Amino acid sequence: MFDPDQPNVFAIPPGCDFPAELVAGLQRRLMGRPPQDIAKVTLYVNTARMRRRITEIFTEGGAGFLPKLRLITEIESDPAVEISAPMSSLRRRLELANLIAALLSAQPELAPRSAIFDLAQSLANLMNEMQSEGVAPSVLAGLDVKDHSQHWERSQTFLKIIAPLFGDRAGARAAVLQIAEIWQTKAPADPIIIAGSTGSRGATALFMQAVAKLPQGAIVLPGYDFDLPTNVWDQMDDALTAEDHPQFRFRRLMDGLGIGPTDVQKWTDTPPPAPDRNQLISLSMRPAPITDQWLSEGPKLPDLIHATQDITLIEAMTPRAEALAIALILRRAAEQGQKAALISPDRNLTRQVTAALDRWALIPDDSAGRPLALSAPGRYLRQIAGLFTERLTPDRLLALLKHPLTASGGDRGLHLKLTRDLELKLRRYGPAFPTDLDITAWADTQRTEGAAQWADSLSPIFTALRGGETTPLADHVARHRDLAERLAGADSGGLWHKDAGLKALALMQDLATEAPFGGAISASEYRNLFDNLIQSQEVRDAILPHPHIMIWGTIEARVQGADLVILGGLNDAIWPKLPEPDPWLNRQMRKDAGLLLPERQIGLSAHDYQQAMGASCVVITRALRNAEAETVPSRWLNRLMNLMGGLHNGTEAFAQMQQRGNIWLRLAEGLDAPSAEMRADPQLAPALRPAPQPPVTARPRELALTAIEKLIRDPYEIYARYILRLFPLDPLRPEATAQDRGIVIHKILQRFVQDRPETDARAHLMQLTRDIMRAEIPFPAARALWIAKMDRAANHFLTQDGRHGGISLAVESKGRQPLDGLPFTLTGTPDRIDCLPDGRLHLIDYKTGAPPTQAMQKSFSKQLLLAAAMAERGGFAELAAIEVALITYIGLGAGQKVEETKITSDLLALEWAKLTTLIGRYMERDTFYAARRALFEQRYARSYDHLARFGEWQMTDRAMPVRVGAP
């Protein structure tokens, strides 16, 4: 089949359907031979998808024989190989983690313990690379680091621990060496072909060289650039400058075989779909040192308008707009029966496209599946692992109880009902950190049958929380799985069902099997380990995707077979992805050691890009902005733009590419835009600024002093709270808020005034602060901060406390005062009422923030002014009607301000008359409760903004009164 006297290296140019051409070339070479001869051929391919595609192409021609199809990554399983069984990646990682933990215990300054498993994974990857490239630990130990920073000296401390775990008789390289040794003694008589691999790894390249030297061996390279001049090949001899070129790996492979680019033969005579475009892309990808060739070779390119007529460039404003445009293109392809593939390394983009396709019930064939960590079992197991590391809060408890897998093997209806009831209790009354005693006590008060048994079923959660901090890994795994299964219900519910459940079960079983090698770790370390393991797992659901819509990773660009190829997310740092930082070796040290350079991944991505750009029809997409800032086009797109910008017709050709993309962007923009019918529908029109006019009988007959300011500033809040009786739910996760601080400070000062000490008032105040804070505030950080703030404000408070020489008559005393002639009562509870030496009253209010200014009191902040009017009218049962001399707002915040107002009878009469007029107006049917009427800070969200649909209208919009309720 092949020439036995020279290395048989073949290639297929970019853009060709590689699997189809591979099969066609193989069949042509076997033409005229017995059909069973195809079964004697051993064909190594690089991915499982490539293997499936080749099988499909063979079977499309009817019944017949197949070649022996193997993956090049499975060399170690060859029956002729006798090497040590490779250690499982998990066991190696756990053993490395033990060694790193011991090292950090002796030298804690090297790294934080939270990085143990990340360092172990990084070291494991380095070991695999060393075995593949044939680099022994002694090579790294012999690197000269005296001229480098101290960081590299520390890294060698870690590198020394891998030497005992390094085996020469394991790994792909050892298998290749053994196979090559066998072949030197007796070369196989039947053909052996390696197809689709670039030989980017040392072991793979070594295997390809061994096969190419066989009498009946051959390699078939994907995306080989036949347009690249010989002088360019000759200059790609330095990895430091040429590693990121798409063809560099082929040059290195040729060097190993002792051949040149002219020795690479075409596997078939089929021309690529777009040969003119291939020349353009080839020139744009020239290595940086020789881009001056653009000037000499650019004018020789074919007409650029013709070469790019099947390229569309989409530059969307946002990733979402990009995803919608891609989804529309894929939908049209499905309608026309055209095979289309989205190629992108950006998994966020591909998930957005999948979601957009769902509106048309189109399910793409996604080669990567979806992350196991984002599946239902994955989220469930991650939530449970998180229980072991932090105090249990209501939001974490309820998130677990509401998970669809919790109680999936029991009475799910009862479970959800009690969970919702428990949520209301925790929101309104807490506690911030619930315990099993809290849940049991609450369940005993419920009338729902089975509540007590349900509360008992939650006890494993709290038992797990009380587990030991540092225990053997096996104990952590057993506790994790046991809690997950018990919460899922009988027979583990649906936890281990379907593809995601089976994948999660396999992960837990592997972890349990290898746990004896993990030693003793803390709960937080176990959580880090589990999160890292599950994040690396992918799961493919057993669904029937659309046969013509595919989503591929960049390596699948070699599979091709699509009429339309979309290159998505073509921005820098996405495609190509920036090399991950190497904590062990810098670029020069890697080169000296014979390891792969960071640019290797960029070069592989460049090769995938070059192949994809050779397809019949190509769409390039990128987003001009992401969630954080403007984006930068991919370096390859930049190169193409710059090259075309300097050539004849290049600017016009590029503009036409953009114009074709703008068509799709306009369609995507219109996808979510309302139609003319929708715009004409009044029910779908943007809301107007609400100003409801409820019946007079429904309006409140009683308001507190603090509500009067809300009535002035945001009447809609009074409408929603006191007329509609809608009360905002407390946040699901309790946090220390400014309101909490105000409540506890008022309680402290109330106790201080009631227990006023005769000596050492400051010490007494601070002791009260510490005691009450400890009892009332469950958040240690907030408690410490607020105690410090009180300590800073103590002197200021004590100065104001004794400034006027008053005696406290009432603290937090409730008052009620009806309005003359109106069915309305004003209520209130001033913080403190003192009796001054002259017998008049002094009303005091504490503000943990800034006290209201005189201007604010005149128009909005009426709390103390109206309280003084109530006091003079006998509105407080504990006090007689006494004249008020002074009101004071004492600020206890950073500014420690004080706002005092001297009271006169005329002032209080005026304020009372204003209140009477205000309430009287709101007792009229035509008076409306406008939303956000006169807010002090418009930027802050209000409790009822969502009900008022704020955002559909602006603060400058006029309020639109609407009568509501019965006539």
Side-chain angles (χ1 to χ4, degrees):
M1 181 184 293
F2 304 115
D3 186 351
D5 297 327
Q6 65 175 8
N8 289 289
V9 180
F10 301 90
I12 296 174
C16 290
D17 186 343
F18 185 86
E21 292 302 315
L22 178 65
V23 172
L26 185 58
Q27 291 176 333
R28 181 175 62 82
R29 285 169 172 79
L30 292 173
M31 190 176 297
R33 296 192 181 187
Q36 64 269 23
D37 279 8
I38 189 68
K40 299 178 182 179
V41 177
T42 301
L43 182 59
Y44 286 92
V45 295
N46 60 324
T47 64
R49 178 176 283 270
M50 178 83 78
R51 180 166 60 184
R52 289 196 302 270
R53 179 85 200 289
I54 291 173
T55 302
E56 291 171 1
I57 294 172
F58 270 112
T59 54
E60 285 173 0
F65 293 95
L66 288 174
K68 293 188 281 288
L69 289 168
R70 297 177 182 173
L71 294 181
I72 200 169
T73 55
E74 299 174 352
I75 304 174
E76 300 167 59
S77 60
D78 192 296
V81 175
E82 297 180 2
I83 61 174
S84 304
M87 181 187 298
S88 74
S89 60
L90 178 55
R91 181 181 301 180
R92 170 172 286 182
R93 185 174 179 182
L94 292 176
E95 290 186 348
L96 285 170
N98 281 333
L99 295 173
I100 294 172
L103 179 61
L104 294 183
S105 297
Q107 303 181 54
E109 72 279 359
L110 291 177
R113 292 192 65 87
S114 59
I116 286 176
F117 293 105
D118 289 327
L119 291 173
Q121 181 61 56
S122 183
L123 274 179
N125 293 339
L126 179 61
M127 287 181 63
N128 291 336
E129 183 182 346
M130 290 169 63
Q131 288 180 330
S132 178
E133 302 301 319
V135 177
S138 58
V139 176
L140 300 187
L143 290 175
D144 184 8
V145 296
K146 63 179 183 295
D147 295 330
H148 297 280
S149 66
Q150 189 178 3
H151 165 75
W152 304 113
E153 295 182 12
R154 288 197 301 268
S155 70
Q156 283 201 330
T157 305
F158 285 96
L159 294 177
K160 290 176 182 176
I161 68 177
I162 69 175
L165 301 179
F166 200 92
D168 294 332
R169 297 295 299 166
R173 190 178 188 89
V176 170
L177 291 173
Q178 196 171 120
I179 291 175
E181 185 178 350
I182 295 173
W183 286 347
Q184 285 181 354
T185 305
K186 183 180 179 181
D190 296 326
I192 298 178
I193 303 172
I194 298 178
S197 177
T198 61
S200 62
R201 291 192 174 274
T204 306
L206 195 64
F207 186 51
M208 294 172 70
Q209 293 171 19
V211 169
K213 293 175 181 178
L214 291 174
Q216 290 303 309
I219 58 176
V220 184
L221 304 177
Y224 183 82
D225 189 355
F226 287 98
D227 297 315
L228 201 63
T230 304
N231 65 326
V232 178
W233 284 105
D234 294 341
Q235 295 181 59
M236 287 195 298
D237 55 351
D238 186 1
L240 289 176
T241 58
E243 178 79 55
D244 59 352
H245 190 272
Q247 303 293 310
F248 173 76
R249 272 133 296 281
F250 297 153
R251 162 62 197 271
R252 190 170 63 176
L253 185 66
M254 295 173 198
D255 291 344
L257 292 171
I259 62 174
T262 56
D263 297 317
V264 179
Q265 310 167 56
K266 290 187 176 181
W267 180 251
T268 64
D269 295 328
T270 305
D276 292 349
R277 192 193 315 149
N278 281 355
Q279 293 184 46
L280 172 65
I281 300 301
S282 175
L283 182 58
S284 72
M285 301 293 285
R286 294 285 168 87
I290 54 174
T291 48
D292 59 297
Q293 295 175 356
W294 289 4
L295 296 175
S296 58
E297 297 187 29
K300 301 176 184 178
L301 289 174
D303 180 60
L304 295 184
I305 293 180
H306 177 267
T308 60
Q309 64 182 354
D310 291 321
I311 301 180
T312 299
L313 175 60
I314 295 177
E315 294 181 301
M317 290 302 300
T318 64
R320 185 176 187 276
E322 179 187 8
L324 287 177
I326 293 173
L328 283 170
I329 295 173
L330 292 175
R331 176 192 173 183
R332 187 187 71 169
E335 290 175 344
Q336 297 178 349
Q338 186 182 28
K339 283 191 175 183
L342 166 61
I343 302 175
S344 177
D346 187 353
R347 294 301 297 162
N348 288 329
L349 175 63
T350 58
R351 280 194 285 267
Q352 283 183 302
V353 172
T354 301
L357 288 170
D358 187 58
R359 68 174 65 193
W360 304 299
L362 295 175
I363 302 175
D365 182 7
D366 193 339
S367 64
R370 60 192 176 101
L372 178 60
L374 299 182
S375 66
R379 291 180 186 273
Y380 182 70
L381 292 171
R382 288 166 59 206
Q383 284 178 321
I384 293 175
L387 292 177
F388 306 146
T389 60
E390 302 173 9
R391 295 180 68 183
L392 187 63
T393 55
D395 61 310
R396 296 173 64 222
L397 173 62
L398 292 169
L400 180 59
L401 295 182
K402 289 185 176 183
H403 193 284
L405 290 175
T406 304
S408 56
D411 189 346
R412 178 76 176 167
L414 174 64
H415 169 77
L416 289 178
K417 179 186 183 305
L418 290 170
T419 298
R420 286 191 288 265
D421 294 342
L422 176 62
E423 178 181 355
L424 294 176
K425 184 266 179 188
L426 292 175
R427 281 182 181 271
R428 292 172 181 167
Y429 308 110
F433 301 101
T435 65
D436 49 347
L437 297 179
D438 297 320
I439 306 300
T440 301
W442 170 81
D444 291 340
T445 65
Q446 301 302 298
R447 297 180 180 180
T448 303
E449 184 178 354
Q453 293 81 0
W454 177 79
D456 291 339
S457 70
L458 302 184
S459 60
I461 297 177
F462 303 96
T463 303
L465 294 176
R466 291 190 287 266
E469 180 66 16
T470 299
T471 59
L473 175 58
D475 294 346
H476 285 294
V477 177
R479 179 173 57 152
H480 190 184
R481 180 171 176 178
D482 178 66
L483 179 55
E485 292 177 345
R486 291 178 68 177
L487 287 180
D491 298 324
S492 302
L495 176 57
W496 309 127
H497 294 178
K498 300 183 179 180
D499 297 279
L502 294 173
K503 187 84 171 180
L505 177 60
L507 173 62
M508 293 300 294
Q509 290 173 338
D510 289 345
L511 194 52
T513 301
E514 305 296 348
F517 300 93
I521 62 175
S522 68
S524 60
E525 289 171 343
Y526 173 73
R527 179 185 181 179
N528 292 339
L529 170 64
F530 184 78
D531 281 348
N532 288 340
L533 290 177
I534 200 170
Q535 293 288 355
S536 63
Q537 302 286 322
E538 300 280 346
V539 60
R540 288 179 58 87
D541 293 324
I543 56 176
L544 187 62
H546 195 284
H548 291 159
I549 302 179
M550 295 156 286
I551 295 179
W552 294 340
T554 54
I555 194 172
E556 275 81 21
R558 307 174 196 177
V559 178
Q560 283 294 354
D563 305 314
L564 168 67
V565 172
I566 304 171
L567 283 69
L570 215 65
N571 280 329
D572 214 37
I574 294 179
W575 196 351
K577 181 181 178 182
L578 295 179
E580 296 183 0
D582 187 346
W584 313 116
L585 303 166
N586 64 22
R587 194 164 175 260
Q588 185 61 48
M589 292 163 66
R590 279 186 157 272
K591 184 176 187 296
D592 294 342
L595 294 172
L596 302 173
L597 295 181
E599 288 80 3
R600 166 184 167 271
Q601 288 295 340
I602 296 178
L604 289 174
S605 293
H607 182 252
D608 298 334
Y609 161 81
Q610 185 176 20
Q611 287 191 105
M613 285 296 292
S616 300
C617 188
V618 176
V619 178
I620 302 171
T621 74
R622 61 177 292 259
L624 299 176
R625 287 189 61 88
N626 56 24
E628 299 174 354
E630 292 186 5
T631 58
V632 177
S634 168
R635 63 192 66 185
W636 306 315
L637 182 57
N638 251 334
R639 279 170 164 260
L640 183 62
M641 292 164 52
N642 293 335
L643 174 60
M644 295 179 65
L647 298 178
H648 177 65
N649 286 341
T651 303
E652 182 181 353
F654 194 82
Q656 291 183 11
M657 291 163 52
Q658 291 177 313
Q659 291 171 7
R660 289 189 285 270
N662 291 338
I663 296 174
W664 290 107
L665 288 175
R666 287 193 294 270
L667 290 174
E669 184 179 351
L671 195 62
D672 289 335
S675 62
E677 293 78 7
M678 295 174 65
R679 288 194 296 267
D681 189 343
Q683 294 184 348
L684 299 178
L688 302 176
R689 187 173 187 170
Q693 298 169 307
V696 174
T697 55
R699 303 192 181 204
R701 294 295 188 264
E702 181 179 298
L703 287 176
L705 288 167
T706 53
I708 298 302
E709 182 172 355
K710 295 177 182 177
L711 183 63
I712 298 171
R713 289 191 180 277
D714 191 3
Y716 189 83
E717 184 168 341
I718 300 299
Y719 167 75
R721 187 179 185 91
Y722 294 95
I723 299 176
L724 297 183
R725 309 294 295 173
L726 297 175
F727 301 96
L729 285 175
D730 293 327
L732 187 57
R733 181 166 194 162
E735 295 179 347
T737 64
Q739 182 180 7
D740 295 329
R741 181 179 174 227
I743 292 172
V744 74
I745 292 297
H746 279 73
K747 185 172 293 188
I748 292 168
L749 298 181
Q750 177 185 357
R751 284 277 304 277
F752 177 82
V753 172
Q754 291 172 342
D755 306 340
R756 187 181 302 279
E758 296 181 0
T759 60
D760 206 354
R762 194 182 196 285
H764 182 71
L765 175 61
M766 292 310 301
Q767 187 59 48
L768 273 177
T769 300
R770 285 186 287 270
D771 293 342
I772 294 177
M773 287 280 188
R774 192 177 300 111
E776 300 288 337
I777 305 300
F779 308 102
R783 187 165 59 231
L785 176 63
W786 293 350
I787 290 175
K789 287 187 174 183
M790 190 63 187
D791 185 57
R792 184 175 59 188
N795 292 338
H796 170 66
F797 165 74
L798 293 172
T799 300
Q800 298 301 323
D801 179 65
R803 181 179 173 192
H804 296 283
I807 299 174
S808 297
L809 298 179
V811 179
E812 300 288 342
S813 177
K814 296 181 179 179
R816 298 176 59 84
Q817 181 63 45
L819 269 62
D820 297 336
L822 292 174
F824 183 86
T825 300
L826 181 65
T827 66
T829 308
D831 292 342
R832 176 175 160 188
I833 302 177
D834 285 3
C835 180
L836 297 175
D838 62 2
R840 293 185 297 171
L841 299 181
H842 178 199
L843 275 65
I844 300 173
D845 189 76
Y846 308 120
K847 294 295 183 184
T848 52
T853 63
Q854 293 294 328
M856 294 168 64
Q857 293 180 50
K858 183 178 180 180
S859 301
F860 304 105
S861 301
K862 305 292 186 178
Q863 181 180 351
L864 279 188
L865 286 170
L866 294 178
M870 291 174 62
E872 289 201 352
R873 286 166 173 74
F876 296 95
E878 300 177 12
L879 305 173
I882 305 175
E883 182 182 353
V884 178
L886 190 66
I887 63 172
T888 302
Y889 289 96
I890 300 178
L892 300 175
Q896 300 181 0
K897 296 181 179 180
V898 176
E899 288 289 345
E900 288 188 349
T901 303
K902 293 183 179 180
I903 300 300
T904 65
S905 58
D906 291 342
L907 175 60
L908 294 186
L910 177 62
E911 293 298 336
W912 197 256
K914 288 182 179 179
L915 175 66
T916 303
T917 301
L918 177 68
I919 298 301
R921 289 293 303 274
Y922 275 99
M923 290 297 177
E924 299 174 3
R925 175 65 160 166
D926 290 337
T927 304
F928 50 83
Y929 292 82
R932 288 176 159 255
R933 176 181 171 272
L935 295 185
F936 179 63
E937 290 284 354
Q938 296 182 3
R939 58 181 176 172
Y940 292 129
R942 307 286 291 182
S943 298
Y944 298 95
D945 278 350
H946 61 297
L947 186 65
R949 294 169 69 174
F950 177 60
E952 297 182 40
W953 51 271
Q954 303 299 320
M955 293 294 296
T956 55
D957 295 347
R958 181 179 293 275
M960 302 301 295
V962 176
R963 293 206 170 195
V964 296

